[in-house]
């Protein structure tokens, strides 16, 4: 499937029951765009739980950053995560990523704001498929945050606007639940990324897998959007029957 795609692409899927990972180009660094906001949200969740500010006080920023995926609210959240200092916030988000085992991923700046060097350069934000599914697995299983903070971050990964839902979401049935974040950059990068966790119920038990479909330089970001749907459908058709 992936070998027929244009541009630079990678797909990773992790069965969260067994920990098995499969994919193509799963260690290839891809331009992240706004997918990295998941890890900003992890810092925000920790802060809310610690009483540094309330969920209500940042609700508009969170919904704007994770819904239509605007960039300036994510920058403001990063400043809050740094106790009022942007560089401190950037370094903290990177520390969270590293603690999750994301050794080939880096957020040198908040999405859309590469002008300032925070000690990590001013280049692109990079992620890999393997890093994403491993980190998402730890998030979903409660290995990264408390139960409350885990639920808060997962909730934030359900508020994408409708069109954004149908990349990974277009490959699964309505009975399944998708927690995810997209990343979009227009030409010349033509980035469309979608990464998240799919859950489904069988006989009262919840099963889950993590998936990342990452694409750039395909000639049109919409190509990557539909690549995500195809990857999602293939993952569903392969994993779902294993748990009847």
């Amino acid at each position: 499937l992936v070998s027929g795609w244009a541009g630079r692409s990678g797909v990773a899927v992790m069965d969260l029951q067994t920990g098995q990972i499969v994919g193509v180009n799963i260690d290839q660094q891809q331009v992240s765009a706004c997918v990295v906001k998941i890890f900003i949200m992890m810092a925000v969740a920790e802060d809310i739980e610690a009483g540094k500010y309330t969920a209500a006080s940042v609700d508009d920023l969170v919904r704007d950053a994770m819904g239509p995926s605007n960039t300036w609210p994510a920058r403001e959240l990063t400043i809050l995560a740094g106790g009022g200092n942007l560089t401190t916030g950037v370094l903290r988000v990177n520390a969270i990523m590293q603690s999750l085992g994301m050794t080939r991923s880096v957020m040198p700046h908040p999405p859309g704001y590469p002008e300032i060097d925070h000690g990590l350069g001013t280049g692109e934000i990079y992620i890999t498929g393997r890093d994403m599914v491993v980190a998402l697995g730890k998030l979903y299983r409660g290995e990264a945050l408390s139960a409350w903070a885990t639920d808060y971050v997962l909730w934030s990964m359900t508020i994408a606007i409708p069109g954004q839902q149908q990349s990974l979401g277009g490959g699964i049935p309505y009975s399944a639940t998708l927690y995810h974040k997209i990343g979009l950059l227009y030409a010349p990068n033509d980035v469309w990324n979608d990464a998240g966790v799919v859950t489904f119920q069988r006989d009262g038990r919840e099963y889950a897998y993590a998936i990342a479909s990452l694409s750039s330089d395909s000639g049109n970001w919409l190509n990557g959007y539909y690549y995500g749907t195809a990857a999602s459908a293939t993952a569903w058709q392969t994993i779902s029957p294993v748990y009847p």
Side-chain angles (χ1 to χ4, degrees), residues 112-146:
Y113 293 88
E115 299 85 2
I116 300 173
D117 186 345
H118 301 284
L120 299 170
T122 57
E124 295 285 1
I125 304 170
Y126 286 111
I127 55 175
T128 73
R130 185 193 302 273
D131 282 358
M132 286 303 304
V133 297
V134 168
L136 289 168
K138 290 180 179 178
L139 172 65
Y140 169 78
R141 290 191 297 256
E143 297 171 7
L145 300 170
S146 71

Side-chain angles (χ1 to χ4, degrees), residues 163-174 178 194 225 228-230 232-233:
Q164 296 174 359
Q165 300 280 19
Q166 293 307 306
S167 184
L168 289 183
I172 61 176
Y174 287 115
L178 173 64
D194 204 350
Y225 181 99
T229 304
S232 181

Side-chain angles (χ1 to χ4, degrees), residues 5 43 74 76 96 158 225:
W5 292 355
E76 294 303 308
I96 289 172
T158 66
Y225 181 99

Side-chain angles (χ1 to χ4, degrees), residues 170-213:
I172 61 176
Y174 287 115
S175 59
T177 299
L178 173 64
Y179 305 94
H180 73 128
K181 184 71 191 78
I182 65 97
L184 166 64
L185 291 173
Y186 299 105
N189 301 95
D190 291 309
V191 170
W192 178 271
N193 298 328
D194 204 350
V197 174
V198 174
T199 69
F200 56 98
Q201 301 283 333
R202 297 285 163 79
D203 294 327
R205 179 178 175 183
E206 183 169 277
Y207 298 91
Y209 59 90
I211 179 171
S213 180

Side-chain angles (χ1 to χ4, degrees), residues 39 97-106 127-128 131-132 135:
F39 309 106
M97 293 166 65
Q98 292 299 307
S99 73
L100 295 169
M102 302 181 70
T103 58
R104 290 183 54 78
S105 300
V106 62
I127 55 175
T128 73
D131 282 358
M132 286 303 304

Side-chain angles (χ1 to χ4, degrees), residues 58 84 108:
V58 297

